[in-house]
Amino acid sequence: MFRLSLTVCGRTAAKRLASSFSGQSVLPPNLLLPPNLVDPARLKRPRPPADGSLPLLRKCDADVPAHLSPVQMWVETLESPDSEPLGLAELHPDVFAVPPRLDILHSVETWQRNFKRISHANTKVRAEVRGGGKKPWRQKGSGRARHGSIRSPLWRGGGVSHGPRGPTSYYYMLPMKVRVQGLKVALSSKTTQDYLHIVDSLNIPTPDSQFLLDLIRQRNWGESVLIVDVGEAFPENILQATANLKTVNVIPAVGLNVHSMLKHEAVVLTLDSVRFLEDKLLWHDERFTPLYPFKLPYCDL
Amino acid sequence: MANYCTFRAIVLHGALQLYRHSRTGPSVAAVRLVSNIVPEGKKAGILESTEEYKFVERLIPPSRVHTPPKHAGPAPSGWIPPSDSPPSLPYMIRRSRMHNIPVYTDLTNGSRKLTLIRKVEGDIWALENDVKQFLKEVTGKELPTQVNEVTMTLKVKGHYDMELKEWLAKKGF
């Protein structure tokens, strides 16, 4: 995703500006772009008709601010590789069109990698190495250097003076709102880069992995796809189809995280999961600071 | 106080005597206390009632900030509601989660005064020009400002939060 992060709206390559407000879109003259930056097959994807022939299947549940307009996406289906989109869905701009804060994405991704880390590297200090309590030879007169123990760090077989000490935990927590903003930024980045797809449900006709791969190949969704749905019950067909695939994975909506979204090129959401995510992520914009942990009951949670 | 205590003691003692006389008298069936009546054939069990839980439920706090009621103009506390339609300017300043204008003051190193405008969307440089012009009219000085395009915030040297809040509220943000 970072390789293709210069693509804006899936269109032609890099019209990024030095400052967002300098007016014209000018490429710097010394910019060297690799030729395979954008897959040309993705650009030539057939687009559905832009006129209003598709029905609006979903409106935003929460209020959209007056100065913003909802993001519109096509709702597709997984029934067959060349089926037409079913309709339009409107997505909330405060979840799917937030400004691209790459620094928040970086910090959330590093946190996700490191907060679970416990390094078990351990070395023995000179006091813990077996032996070395006796002075090897007398202090003066033997002609050799003076030593107090055979396990000092100077000696071969001695202890390590400043080595790793015991299981070390790298646990830390980023503020809840930063982690939530990271999810919103990741979803918005996928939307603007044309890597987000909305699907009505996860019903496939066959439990065949090749069917899914053909569908993804034909629609040019990308190399790897992350499929997100709400609830614990998934259709059997999609579970069997993705069980042996490494690049196509299904996760519940509660398991959506920035690392998975960055690892997979395309993200596919169902309409139910869009509703769930909007509900959960927008709540953080209007909640009080917690009096007691949110796991305990509040009257509207 | 001592009289009251002794009076209560006399009354209680009298009641106890009456009770004892009633129990031991020949007319036991006529004078029987209510607490001694046991329904025939059924033991009294524990009665569960969930209707009193409403007294607990009304104490549980909400998690969402409520939307303020509609005011025509400023509220009695001085709070000015945002205008219904956003002003037609190239920038937009959202309200905080408590529905206030996001202008804050900062004091560092004992004497370094800053005013911070957060939650800016749109053309932040146009906002910077307008703020500089407004503060020039108010104070007569060219104040240094700092624009952060990543976090979309604007810092102004000095404490001007009251003036900026009134100015933004009058604009309709």
Side-chain angles (χ1 to χ4, degrees):
Chain A
M1 181 199 161
F2 287 125
R3 202 167 54 87
L4 299 175
S5 63
L6 291 176
T7 313
V8 175
C9 294
R11 297 285 167 236
T12 53
K15 288 211 170 10
R16 265 297 182 230
L17 322 165
S19 156
S20 337
F21 305 98
S22 62
Q24 315 134 339
S25 51
V26 163
L27 288 178
N30 53 352
L31 181 65
L32 285 172
L33 292 173
N36 62 346
L37 195 64
V38 177
D39 187 12
R42 268 181 67 83
L43 299 174
K44 293 199 201 75
R45 268 192 294 189
R47 305 228 157 224
D51 51 356
S53 57
L54 290 172
L56 188 65
L57 294 178
R58 181 197 180 255
K59 289 183 91 74
C60 292
D61 299 319
D63 295 326
V64 176
H67 65 286
L68 297 170
S69 57
V71 180
Q72 292 191 325
M73 301 271 297
W74 285 300
V75 177
E76 303 177 25
T77 174
L78 296 174
E79 291 295 334
S80 86
D82 42 331
S83 51
E84 293 291 314
L86 299 175
L88 283 177
E90 289 194 334
L91 308 176
H92 202 284
D94 278 342
V95 175
F96 290 93
V98 299
R101 288 287 303 269
L102 297 183
D103 58 323
I104 293 184
L105 265 189
H106 167 81
S107 44
V108 174
E109 164 68 26
T110 351
W111 167 77
Q112 249 190 291
R113 267 205 285 209
N114 288 331
F115 85 107
K116 286 183 271 206
R117 179 179 169 210
I118 299 181
S119 90
H120 295 277
N122 186 25
T123 52
K124 289 183 167 35
V125 169
R126 63 183 284 174
E128 291 166 352
V129 180
R130 185 87 170 168
K134 184 168 178 297
K135 196 166 167 65
W137 45 79
R138 59 182 192 272
Q139 179 81 2
K140 300 185 73 63
S142 66
R144 289 171 285 185
R146 49 191 177 178
H147 289 291
S149 103
I150 58 166
R151 302 299 189 201
S152 91
L154 272 53
W155 282 64
R156 175 195 173 277
V160 180
S161 39
H162 295 295
R165 290 299 288 149
T168 335
S169 149
Y170 291 83
Y171 173 80
Y172 67 103
M173 291 305 281
L174 282 179
M176 201 194 307
K177 293 180 196 165
V178 172
R179 288 177 270 140
V180 164
Q181 191 65 23
L183 277 174
K184 291 177 183 168
V185 169
L187 285 169
S188 313
S189 315
K190 289 292 184 191
T191 313
T192 45
Q193 294 181 355
D194 217 10
Y195 278 124
L196 189 82
H197 303 280
I198 312 283
V199 150
D200 58 339
S201 74
L202 295 187
N203 297 322
I204 342 179
T206 51
D208 189 20
S209 313
Q210 200 52 40
F211 171 80
L212 259 186
L213 288 174
D214 289 335
L215 191 142
I216 292 166
R217 185 69 237 143
Q218 177 149 7
R219 295 188 186 177
N220 248 302
W221 278 358
E223 297 168 353
S224 46
V225 179
L226 185 68
I227 305 178
V228 183
D229 193 12
V230 188
E232 298 117 16
F234 290 86
E236 269 304 316
N237 281 346
I238 192 121
L239 287 178
Q240 281 177 31
T242 50
N244 295 325
L245 286 178
K246 222 169 70 155
T247 53
V248 182
N249 295 310
V250 182
I251 54 164
V254 291
L256 190 65
N257 57 87
V258 165
H259 176 76
S260 300
M261 284 205 274
L262 294 179
K263 196 78 179 164
H264 295 81
E265 221 173 15
V267 175
V268 170
L269 300 174
T270 52
L271 286 173
D272 297 325
S273 61
V274 165
R275 186 176 182 197
F276 174 83
L277 286 170
E278 279 191 4
D279 193 34
K280 294 282 177 184
L281 294 177
L282 287 171
W283 170 73
H284 286 278
D285 284 339
E286 52 174 16
R287 62 166 173 88
F288 283 113
T289 184
L291 275 182
Y292 44 84
F294 287 119
K295 288 194 172 29
L296 299 175
Y298 282 79
C299 63
D300 52 2
L301 269 192
Chain B
M1 190 64 184
N3 286 341
Y4 174 68
C5 283
T6 48
F7 177 66
R8 265 185 71 112
I10 288 163
V11 165
L12 281 174
H13 187 63
L16 201 57
Q17 290 276 334
L18 186 64
Y19 174 62
R20 272 206 222 109
H21 288 324
S22 64
R23 281 299 292 272
T24 52
S27 57
V28 165
V31 186
R32 225 210 251 175
L33 293 180
V34 174
S35 54
N36 290 337
I37 296 175
V38 173
E40 315 294 338
K42 194 166 62 161
K43 276 208 112 120
I46 299 169
L47 187 68
E48 265 188 41
S49 159
T50 50
E51 285 168 15
E52 285 82 11
Y53 197 59
K54 67 176 192 291
F55 296 108
V56 174
E57 278 173 358
R58 68 186 189 185
L59 291 173
I60 301 177
S63 69
R64 278 190 180 86
V65 181
H66 65 280
T67 46
K70 283 275 166 218
H71 289 275
S77 65
W79 178 75
I80 304 174
S83 59
D84 298 318
S85 65
S88 57
L89 288 164
Y91 47 85
M92 169 72 190
I93 298 177
R94 287 223 203 163
R95 291 272 176 136
S96 71
R97 63 184 64 213
M98 299 295 181
H99 308 285
N100 295 323
I101 298 187
V103 172
Y104 310 100
T105 54
D106 192 17
L107 185 73
T108 19
N109 305 102
S111 59
R112 185 187 199 196
K113 295 183 181 174
L114 281 177
T115 311
L116 174 69
I117 305 177
R118 275 190 64 235
K119 296 188 79 118
V120 183
E121 289 169 16
D123 193 354
I124 199 169
W125 295 101
L127 171 68
E128 195 224 5
N129 283 334
D130 290 347
V131 162
K132 274 190 159 152
Q133 195 188 354
F134 166 69
L135 289 177
K136 177 114 195 225
E137 287 156 21
V138 166
T139 58
K141 290 191 273 196
E142 287 279 355
L143 291 166
T145 55
Q146 184 193 47
V147 165
N148 188 334
E149 275 187 15
V150 176
T151 50
M152 295 300 267
T153 53
L154 180 69
K155 282 190 186 169
V156 179
K157 183 176 174 186
H159 277 354
Y160 299 106
D161 56 320
M162 294 277 98
E163 294 93 340
L164 282 173
K165 277 185 189 167
E166 278 171 34
W167 179 66
L168 288 172
K170 213 156 37 134
K171 283 196 176 233
F173 285 120

